[in-house]
C-alpha cells in the first residue's frame, strides 16, 4: 500500500509537466513594488505541512536511539548511487571486482543489522532444539524433571533471588508487550487516517489547479488599478507637472515677490508715520502757543495779586518774595520753530503711492500661480493620445497571460491527480482488509506474550503467597504448587512460541530498520534528493533526469532537491520548474518596449510659460521711493524736543507749592487769590500739558518708526531690484529647461506605474502564481507521514517491543524453571534428623 501510494505521488512531482523546449532566461524578482501595493491573494491549504506523532513520539525516539546503535553509519550516498545504477543494467556479473567491492561495502554498511539478524536466526534455530531436548530430558527425570528437591542451606536465599529476578524480567517483558500494543493500536484506524490525509491532499492539489485562472484574472484586474492611477495622474497634470515646475521656481520667485510685497507695506507705514509726524508737529505748535498764553496770563494775575499791601508786612513779605521769585518758571519749555516740516517728504511718498505697486506684485503672484492651469490647457491633446496608448497595454498583458503554459501544464497534471485518486479510493478497502490482518496478527502476538507473562505473574503470586517455609517439599500447599505449575506452563509456552515470535521480529526488524535509515532519515535530511539528482544515474543519456522528462533537454539544471525546496518555500510553478525554458515571460511582456512607447507618446509634450514678476512701472516705483528723501531726514532735533517737558517746571508741583505758601499767609483776599491761581495752574496742566505730552509721545513713536524704516532703505531697495533682475533672468533663461526636467520626471512617474505593474506581473507569474506547496506537502504526506509515520515507525516500535519481550523470555524461563522447584509439591525429599529451618 505504502509503496504504491508513494510511487503515484512521486509521479505527480516528476511527470506533471512536459512540452517542447525553448530558450529562456533565469526568472527575476523585484524587491520593492513602489506606491501601488500589488499582492496576490493567499491560498489556504487544508493539509498540515508537519506531522506530530503525539505522546507516542517518545517511544519512537527510544527506538531511534537503538537504531543508531545498530546502524550508526551515515546515509551511504555513493553505495546507493551504484546500486541504483546496477538496477538499470540488464545483467549483473558478481565476479567483477567492482561488483564484489560494492557487495563488501553493502555488507560493511549493514554489518550491525546482519549481526542482530544472525543472532535472531541463532535464537530461532536453537530455541526449538533446546526446548525439544529440555522436554525429553525432563521426561527422563533429568534437568529438574524428577520431583525431588534436595535441601540446601542457601535454599531460601536462592528462592528469593530467583523470584526477584523473574519479577524484574517480567516487568521488562511487560514493557515490551506495552510497546507492542501501543504500536499495534494505530493500525486499526490507519486506513481511515490515510483516507483523510489523501482526501486533504487531493483537495489541496485541486485547489492548486483552480488557482491559475483566478490568479490570472486577479493579475489582469490589477491593470485597471494601475490604469486608474495613471489616468488620475494624467488628469492631474496641472498639479504634478505644473506643481513640479512651481516647486522648482518657488525658491527663486516667491522670496523676491515677498520682499516687494513687504516693501509695499513699508511704503504705507512710511506714509502713515510721516502723516502722524506732521499732525503731531502741527498740534504741538498750536498747543505750545496756547500754553505760553495761558502761563503768561496766570503769571500776570499772580503778580497783580502779590501787589496787595499784605505782602509788605512781615512775615508775609518773605512768602510773597518767594512766590515772586518763582514766577519766571511759568514759561513754555519747547522750541518747535527750529524743527523743519516734513511736507515735502510726505508729498514724495504720496506720489509713490499713486502707482498701485501692490496690484503689480499680485500680478506677479498670479502669473506664478497660473502655471498649473497653463500646463493643463496646453497638454489636453497629448493626454488624450497617451490614454489611448495605455489602454493597449492591458490587451497586450491579457494576450501574454493567455499564452502562459501553466494552465495547459496543470490540465496534464490534473489527469495524474484524477488517476491517482481513483486508484487510492478503489484500493482503500483492500488496504483496510490487509491492515485488519496486520492488526489481528499483531494482537495475537501481543496477547500470546501477555499470556506467557500472566502465567509468570500468576506463578509468582501463587508461589509467594502460598509458600510455607515450615512445610517440607512433599507437603507444600495447593496454592504454592499451583504457582509452580503456572511457571512451568509459562516455560512451555515460551519454548513453544518464542522462536516463531523471533522470526516475526527478524523480518520486521530488517525491513523497518533499512526503510527508516535509507528512506525516512535520508528524506528528512534531503540526502535522498542528492542521490536522485546525480547526473546520468536514472538515465545514462540524461545529465538531469527531471529536465530530460519535462523538456527533453537534460542539460537544464532542474533537480529533485531544488524542486522540492522551492515548493516547500511556496514558490510558483513557473520558477520552480523553470518554465522560462518553454515560455520566457520577460521576453513576452517586453517591459522595455512598453515603457519606450509611453515615452514616445510624450515626445510632443511642449509647454510654453511666460512669467513676469514685476513690470517697469513697479520697478520705477521702487526707485522713486528710494529717492523720496526720507532717509536724509535729521531726526536728532525732533528727538531732542520730544525729550523735553512742555513747561519749564512741573505745573502740578508748582501749584501745590503755591497752595502751601498761600496757606502760610494770613486769611484774606491775598490768600484766596493765590489759591485760585493755583487751581488755574492745575487746570492749565490738565488742558494743555497732558495733551502736549501725548502729542510728544506720538511724535517720538513716529520718529522711531521712520528711523527704523529708513535705516538702510536705499540699500534694501537696491538689493530687491538686483534680486528681482536676477530672478527674472533666471525664469526667462531657464524656464524651458525646468519644464523639460519636470516633464521627464512626470513621464517617469506615468511610465513607472506601468513598469511597476509589468515587473509585478513578471514577478508574480514567476515566483507566486500557482504555488506548488501542495505538491511538496503531498510528497511529505506520502513519505514522512504515511510511510514513515503511519507504517515504519509503528512497525519499528512493534518489533522493538516484541523483540525485547521475546529475548527476555530466555532468562525468564530459566529462572521460572529454577523457581518452580521451590513452589511445586515434590514426590520425595531428603530426610534429616533436624530438618533445616
Amino acid at each position: 500500500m505504502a509503496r504504491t501510494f508513494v510511487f503515484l505521488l512521486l509521479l505527480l512531482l516528476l511527470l506533471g509537466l512536459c512540452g517542447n523546449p525553448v530558450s529562456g532566461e533565469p526568472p527575476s524578482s523585484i524587491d520593492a513594488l513602489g506606491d501601488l501595493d500589488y499582492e496576490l491573494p493567499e491560498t489556504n491549504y487544508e493539509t498540515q505541512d508537519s506531522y506530530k506523532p503525539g505522546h507516542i513520539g517518545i517511544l519512537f525516539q527510544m527506538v531511534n536511539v537503538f537504531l543508531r546503535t545498530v546502524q550508526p553509519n551515515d546515509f551511504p550516498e555513493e553505495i546507493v548511487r551504484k546500486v541504483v545504477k546496477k538496477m538499470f543494467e540488464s545483467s549483473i556479473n558478481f565476479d567483477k571486482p567492482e561488483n564484489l567491492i560494492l557487495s563488501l561495502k553493502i555488507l560493511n554498511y549493514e554489518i550491525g543489522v546482519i549481526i542482530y539478524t544472525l543472532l535472531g536466526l541463532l535464537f530461532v534455530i536453537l530455541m526449538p532444539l533446546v526446548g525439544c531436548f529440555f522436554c525429553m530430558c525432563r521426561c527422563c527425570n533429568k534437568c529438574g524433571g524428577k520431583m525431588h528437591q534436595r535441601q540446601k542451606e542457601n535454599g531460601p536465599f536462592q528462592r528469593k533471588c530467583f523470584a526477584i529476578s523473574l519479577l524484574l524480567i517480567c516487568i521488562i517483558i511487560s514493557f515490551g508487550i506495552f510497546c507492542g500494543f501501543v504500536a499495534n493500536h494505530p493500525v486499526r484506524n490507519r486506513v481511515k487516517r490515510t483516507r483523510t490525509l489523501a482526501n486533504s491532499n487531493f483537495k489541496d492539489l485541486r485547489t492548486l489547479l483552480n488557482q491559475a485562472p483566478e490568479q490570472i484574472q486577479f493579475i489582469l484586474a490589477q491593470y485597471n488599478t494601475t490604469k486608474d492611477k495613471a489616468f488620475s495622474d494624467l488628469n492631474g497634470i496641472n498639479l504634478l507637472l505644473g506643481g513640479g515646475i512651481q516647486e522648482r521656481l518657488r525658491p527663486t520667485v516667491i522670496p523676491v515677490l515677498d520682499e516687494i510685497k513687504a516693501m509695499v507695506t513699508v511704503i504705507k507705514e512710511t506714509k502713515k508715520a510721516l502723516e502722524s509726524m506732521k499732525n503731531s508737529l502741527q498740534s504741538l505748535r498750536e498747543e505750545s502757543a496756547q500754553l505760553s498764553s495761558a502761563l503768561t496770563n496766570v503769571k500776570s494775575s499772580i503778580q497783580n495779586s502779590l501787589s496787595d499791601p499784605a505782602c509788605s508786612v512781615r512775615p508775609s513779605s518773605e512768602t510773597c518774595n518767594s512766590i515772586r521769585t518763582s514766577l519766571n518758571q511759568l514759561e513754555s519749555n519747547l522750541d518747535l520753530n527750529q524743527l523743519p516740516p516734513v511736507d515735502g517728504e510726505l508729498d514724495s511718498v504720496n506720489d509713490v503711492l499713486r502707482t498701485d505697486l501692490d496690484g503689480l506684485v499680485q500680478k506677479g503672484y498670479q502669473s506664478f500661480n497660473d502655471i498649473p492651469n497653463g500646463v493643463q490647457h496646453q497638454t489636453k491633446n497629448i493626454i488624450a493620445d497617451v490614454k489611448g496608448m495605455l489602454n493597449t497595454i492591458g490587451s497586450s498583458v491579457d494576450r501574454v497571460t493567455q499564452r502562459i503554459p501553466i494552465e495547459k501544464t496543470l490540465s496534464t497534471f490534473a489527469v495524474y491527480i484524477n488517476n491517482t485518486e481513483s486508484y487510492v479510493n478503489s484500493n482503500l478497502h483492500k488496504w483496510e482488509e490487509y491492515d485488519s490482518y496486520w492488526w489481528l496478527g499483531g494482537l495475537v502476538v501481543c496477547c500470546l506474550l501477555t499470556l506467557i507473562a500472566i502465567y509468570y505473574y500468576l506463578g509468582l503470586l501463587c508461589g509467594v503467597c502460598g509458600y510455607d517455609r515450615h512445610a517440607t517439599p512433599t507437603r507444600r500447599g495447593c496454592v504454592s504448587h499451583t504457582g509452580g505449575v503456572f511457571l512451568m506452563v509459562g516455560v512451555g509456552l515460551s519454548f513453544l512460541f518464542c522462536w516463531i515470535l523471533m522470526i516475526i521480529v527478524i523480518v520486521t526488524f530488517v525491513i523497518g530498520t533499512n526503510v527508516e535509515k535509507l528512506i525516512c532519515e535520508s528524506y528528512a535530511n534531503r540526502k535522498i534528493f542528492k542521490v536522485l539528482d546525480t547526473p546520468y544515474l536514472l538515465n545514462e543519456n540524461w545529465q538531469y533526469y527531471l529536465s530530460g522528462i519535462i523538456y527533453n533537454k537534460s542539460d537544464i539544471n532542474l533537480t529533485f532537491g531544488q524542486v522540492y525546496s522551492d515548493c516547500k518555500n511556496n514558490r510558483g510553478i513557473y520558477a520552480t520548474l523553470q518554465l522560462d525554458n518553454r515560455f520566457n515571460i520577460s521576453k513576452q511582456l517586453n517591459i522595455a518596449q512598453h515603457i519606450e512607447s509611453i515615452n514616445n507618446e510624450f515626445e510632443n509634450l511642449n509647454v510654453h510659460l511666460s512669467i513676469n514678476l514685476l513690470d517697469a512701472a513697479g520697478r520705477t516705483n521702487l526707485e522713486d521711493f528710494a529717492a523720496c528723501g526720507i532717509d536724509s531726514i535729521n531726526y536728532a532735533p525732533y528727538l531732542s524736543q520730544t525729550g523735553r517737558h512742555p513747561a519749564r517746571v512741573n505745573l502740578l508741583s508748582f501749584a501745590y507749592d503755591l497752595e502751601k505758601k498761600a496757606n502760610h499767609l494770613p486769611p484774606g483776599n491775598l490768600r484766596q487769590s493765590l489759591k485760585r491761581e493755583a487751581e488755574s495752574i492745575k487746570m492749565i496742566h490738565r488742558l494743555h500739558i497732558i495733551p502736549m505730552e501725548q502729542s510728544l509721545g506720538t511724535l517720538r513713536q513716529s520718529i522711531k518708526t521712520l528711523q527704523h524704516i529708513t535705516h538702510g532703505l536705499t540699500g534694501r531697495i537696491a538689493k530687491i531690484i538686483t534680486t528681482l533682475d536676477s530672478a527674472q533672468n533666471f525664469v526667462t533663461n531657464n524656464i524651458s529647461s525646468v519644464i523639460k526636467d519636470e516633464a521627464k520626471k512626470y513621464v517617469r512617474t506615468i511610465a513607472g506605474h506601468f513598469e511597476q505593474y509589468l515587473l509585478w506581473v513578471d514577478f508574480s507569474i514567476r515566483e507566486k502564481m500557482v504555488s506548488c506547496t501542495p505538491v511538496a506537502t503531498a510528497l511529505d504526506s506520502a513519505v514522512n507521514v504515511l510511510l514513515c509515520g503511519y507504517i515504519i515507525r509503528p512497525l519499528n516500535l512493534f518489533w522493538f517491543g516484541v523483540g525485547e519481550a521475546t529475548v527476555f523470555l530466555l532468562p525468564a524461563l530459566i529462572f521460572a524453571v529454577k523457581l518452580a522447584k521451590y513452589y511445586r509439591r515434590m514426590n520425595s525429599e531428603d530426610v534429616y534428623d533436624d530438618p533445616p529451618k
Side-chain angles (χ1 to χ4, degrees):
M1 175 184 70
R3 179 178 178 274
T4 304
F5 190 55
V6 171
F7 175 74
L8 289 173
L9 284 176
L10 281 172
L11 282 179
L12 297 178
L13 181 62
L14 301 179
L15 304 177
L17 299 169
C18 60
N20 297 324
V22 296
S23 61
E25 301 174 354
S28 62
S29 62
I30 54 176
D31 296 327
L33 297 178
D35 297 332
L36 293 172
D37 186 14
Y38 304 114
E39 189 68 33
L40 279 176
E42 293 186 2
T43 303
N44 297 321
Y45 295 110
E46 183 176 313
T47 309
Q48 299 294 325
D49 59 354
S50 61
Y51 169 68
K52 296 179 180 179
H55 298 297
I56 196 175
I58 299 175
L59 298 177
F60 290 162
Q61 292 176 7
M62 178 185 66
V63 176
N64 285 335
V65 172
F66 177 75
L67 287 179
R68 283 192 289 269
T69 304
V70 175
Q71 179 56 282
N73 300 315
D74 293 332
F75 180 68
E77 295 182 29
E78 192 61 33
I79 295 176
V80 174
R81 288 190 183 97
K82 291 180 179 180
V83 170
V84 173
K85 198 167 186 180
K86 295 296 179 182
M87 290 172 60
F88 289 96
E89 295 181 3
S90 57
S91 61
I92 302 175
N93 186 1
F94 289 98
D95 294 334
K96 289 183 178 181
E98 61 269 18
N99 293 334
L100 182 60
I101 293 174
L102 179 61
S103 300
L104 292 175
K105 288 183 177 179
I106 294 174
L107 290 175
N108 180 62
Y109 175 76
E110 295 282 353
I111 188 66
V113 177
I114 293 173
I115 290 175
Y116 277 86
T117 303
L118 291 176
L119 292 175
L121 292 175
L122 186 63
F123 186 94
V124 171
I125 295 171
L126 293 180
M127 284 304 290
L129 293 177
V130 171
C132 183
F133 285 117
F134 181 73
C135 182
M136 291 187 295
C137 184
R138 289 184 67 87
C139 289
C140 297
N141 291 329
K142 303 293 184 181
C143 303
K146 186 179 180 180
M147 300 300 288
H148 174 82
Q149 183 179 21
R150 297 184 62 185
Q151 300 292 324
K152 296 181 180 179
E153 246 183 83
N154 60 350
F157 177 75
Q158 287 184 347
R159 174 177 53 79
K160 293 177 182 178
C161 289
F162 291 153
I164 293 173
S165 300
L166 182 59
L167 178 61
L168 294 176
I169 293 172
C170 286
I171 292 174
I172 296 174
I173 292 173
S174 299
F175 177 73
I177 296 171
F178 169 76
C179 292
F181 275 115
V182 170
N184 193 60
H185 176 71
V187 176
R188 192 170 187 178
N189 59 355
R190 182 162 59 196
V191 172
K192 181 179 178 181
R193 289 182 292 151
T194 301
R195 180 183 289 108
T196 302
L197 181 65
N199 291 336
S200 175
N201 278 281
F202 286 128
K203 181 179 178 181
D204 290 344
L205 290 171
R206 283 201 167 80
T207 301
L208 181 147
L209 297 178
N210 296 329
Q211 278 187 76
E214 295 176 0
Q215 292 182 343
I216 289 175
Q217 291 303 318
F218 180 84
I219 289 173
L220 294 176
Q222 298 313 299
Y223 175 77
N224 293 328
T225 303
T226 306
K227 187 177 72 172
D228 292 343
K229 175 63 176 175
F231 277 26
S232 174
D233 289 347
L234 289 171
N235 294 331
I237 191 173
N238 57 329
L239 299 177
L240 294 176
L241 178 55
I245 296 172
Q246 278 187 319
E247 291 305 314
R248 286 284 300 277
L249 297 178
R250 186 181 301 277
T252 303
V253 172
I254 297 302
V256 67
L257 291 176
D258 289 344
E259 288 181 2
I260 297 174
K261 186 176 181 181
M263 190 53 63
V264 172
T265 303
V266 169
I267 294 173
K268 293 179 179 179
E269 289 179 352
T270 301
K271 176 187 176 183
K272 183 178 179 180
L274 287 173
E275 289 178 342
S276 175
M277 185 175 177
K278 176 183 176 181
N279 294 333
S280 297
L281 286 174
Q282 184 177 356
S283 175
L284 284 171
R285 286 191 178 98
E286 294 175 355
E287 290 173 352
S288 179
Q290 294 175 2
L291 176 64
S292 296
S293 176
L295 290 176
T296 299
N297 293 333
V298 169
K299 183 177 179 181
S300 298
S301 178
I302 293 174
Q303 287 177 345
N304 291 333
S305 298
L306 292 176
S307 62
D308 190 283
C311 286
S312 59
V313 181
R314 295 177 62 90
S316 299
S317 60
E318 295 179 357
T319 302
C320 291
N321 291 333
S322 175
I323 294 173
R324 191 178 292 109
T325 303
S326 63
L327 289 178
N328 58 357
Q329 296 179 355
L330 295 178
E331 295 179 355
S332 176
N333 194 37
L334 298 178
D335 186 10
L336 299 178
N337 293 325
Q338 64 175 348
L339 299 179
V342 292
D343 294 346
E345 289 81 358
L346 181 59
D347 292 339
S348 297
V349 172
N350 286 329
D351 290 339
V352 169
L353 286 174
R354 288 190 181 93
T355 301
D356 187 10
L357 183 59
D358 188 30
L360 297 177
V361 173
Q362 292 302 323
K363 288 182 179 180
Y365 279 117
Q366 189 63 39
S367 65
F368 178 78
N369 294 330
D370 285 342
I371 291 176
N373 294 331
V375 169
Q376 189 168 31
H377 178 73
Q378 297 180 43
T379 56
K380 287 182 178 179
N381 296 332
I382 294 176
I383 295 302
D385 295 338
V386 172
K387 288 181 178 180
M389 190 276 301
L390 293 181
N391 285 323
T392 63
I393 296 180
S395 302
S396 175
V397 174
D398 190 9
R399 288 193 298 271
V400 171
T401 53
Q402 296 302 325
R403 293 166 56 194
I404 298 174
I406 291 180
E407 289 192 77
K408 181 180 178 181
T409 298
L410 292 177
S411 63
T412 306
F413 190 42
V415 175
Y416 292 98
I417 293 178
N418 294 332
N419 293 340
T420 304
E421 186 174 18
S422 299
Y423 178 84
V424 171
N425 291 331
S426 62
N427 288 278
L428 274 177
H429 67 281
K430 295 181 182 179
W431 299 340
E432 190 170 14
E433 183 180 354
Y434 298 153
D435 273 354
S436 64
Y437 296 149
W438 183 331
W439 175 78
L440 186 59
L443 185 64
V444 169
V445 170
C446 293
C447 289
L448 186 58
L449 286 170
T450 303
L451 180 63
I452 296 173
I454 289 174
Y455 275 119
Y456 285 148
Y457 280 122
L458 289 175
L460 286 170
L461 180 64
C462 293
V464 172
C465 295
Y467 181 78
D468 185 0
R469 64 177 179 171
H470 299 291
T472 61
T474 58
R475 296 179 180 177
R476 289 176 180 150
C478 290
V479 177
S480 177
H481 179 71
T482 302
V485 172
F486 278 140
L487 292 177
M488 293 311 296
V489 173
V491 170
L493 292 175
S494 298
F495 275 118
L496 188 60
F497 295 108
C498 66
W499 63 278
I500 299 176
L501 298 177
M502 185 54 69
I503 292 175
I504 297 174
V505 170
I506 292 172
V507 173
T508 54
F509 166 73
V510 174
I511 295 174
T513 300
N514 283 289
V515 174
E516 175 68 30
K517 299 296 289 187
L518 295 177
I519 296 181
C520 296
E521 286 191 7
S522 63
Y523 182 82
N525 56 32
R526 302 187 184 181
K527 289 184 178 180
I528 193 171
F529 294 120
K530 295 181 180 179
V531 175
L532 295 175
D533 293 331
T534 303
Y536 308 106
L537 178 65
L538 302 178
N539 189 314
E540 61 182 6
N541 298 318
W542 288 350
Q543 182 179 1
Y544 296 104
Y545 186 74
L546 265 184
S547 60
I549 291 178
I550 298 174
Y551 302 112
N552 201 23
K553 284 183 65 176
S554 64
D555 58 340
I556 300 173
N557 188 5
L558 183 64
T559 62
F560 290 94
Q562 171 251 313
V563 171
Y564 177 79
S565 178
D566 286 351
C567 288
K568 288 292 286 185
N569 293 330
N570 202 29
R571 292 191 76 183
I573 282 182
Y574 189 99
T576 300
L577 297 177
Q578 301 180 22
L579 286 180
D580 52 358
N581 290 284
R582 177 184 299 173
F583 184 85
N584 192 322
I585 184 66
S586 297
K587 184 177 180 181
Q588 296 297 326
L589 284 175
N590 204 351
I591 298 174
Q593 182 179 352
H594 289 302
I595 300 306
E596 184 179 357
S597 300
I598 296 174
N599 291 330
N600 292 336
E601 288 293 333
F602 281 101
E603 285 293 329
N604 297 324
L605 180 63
N606 293 317
V607 177
H608 301 284
L609 298 174
S610 177
I611 301 175
N612 188 14
L613 301 181
L614 191 67
D615 61 12
R619 179 188 177 92
T620 302
N621 191 254
L622 288 174
E623 293 173 345
D624 291 344
F625 180 61
C628 69
I630 60 174
D631 57 337
S632 60
I633 297 176
N634 184 10
Y635 297 103
Y638 295 96
L639 292 175
S640 175
Q641 292 299 317
T642 57
R644 295 182 179 184
H645 192 270
R648 293 181 62 185
V649 67
N650 189 324
L651 295 184
L652 284 178
S653 299
F654 188 89
Y656 290 137
D657 184 63
L658 181 61
E659 285 182 345
K660 184 179 179 181
K661 289 178 179 179
N663 290 329
H664 291 161
L665 295 175
N669 293 331
L670 177 60
R671 182 175 182 178
Q672 294 299 323
S673 176
L674 289 177
K675 285 187 176 182
R676 285 195 300 272
E677 296 302 331
E679 292 297 327
S680 299
I681 293 173
K682 292 179 181 179
M683 181 64 68
I684 292 172
H685 180 272
R686 288 195 298 271
L687 296 178
H688 299 288
I689 297 299
I690 291 177
M692 288 184 71
E693 287 179 343
Q694 293 175 350
S695 297
L696 287 172
T698 302
L699 178 61
R700 186 184 301 109
Q701 184 63 38
S702 299
I703 293 171
K704 292 291 184 181
T705 301
L706 287 172
Q707 276 186 317
H708 175 72
I709 290 174
T710 59
H711 179 70
L713 178 64
T714 304
R716 287 162 55 196
I717 294 177
K719 182 178 178 182
I720 290 174
I721 293 174
T722 302
T723 305
L724 175 65
D725 293 339
S726 176
Q728 188 64 59
N729 290 334
F730 175 83
V731 171
T732 304
N733 298 329
N734 297 291
I735 186 65
S736 59
S737 62
V738 169
I739 293 173
K740 186 178 295 184
D741 292 341
E742 293 302 318
K744 288 180 180 179
K745 292 181 182 179
Y746 177 73
V747 173
R748 282 198 299 270
T749 300
I750 301 299
H753 296 324
F754 291 91
E755 183 178 13
Q756 172 189 330
Y757 169 73
L758 294 173
L759 287 174
W760 174 75
V761 171
D762 184 284
F763 171 77
S764 298
I765 292 175
R766 288 178 180 276
E767 302 291 336
K768 297 296 183 182
M769 185 175 169
V770 191
S771 166
C772 61
T773 299
V775 177
T777 304
L779 194 60
D780 288 342
S781 298
V783 179
N784 191 38
V785 180
L786 178 59
L787 177 61
C788 300
Y790 289 177
I791 299 176
I792 296 302
R793 293 193 179 104
L795 179 66
N796 288 338
L797 180 61
F798 180 79
W799 64 251
F800 179 80
V802 173
E804 179 198 30
T806 303
V807 169
F808 277 93
L809 287 179
L810 180 59
L813 66 87
I814 294 173
F815 286 114
V817 170
K818 293 285 188 182
L819 189 59
K821 203 78 171 178
Y822 290 93
Y823 293 157
R824 295 179 67 189
R825 188 184 300 117
M826 299 290 104
N827 294 331
S828 61
E829 61 180 325
D830 295 334
V831 180
Y832 299 95
D833 293 336
D834 297 320
K837 296 181 180 180

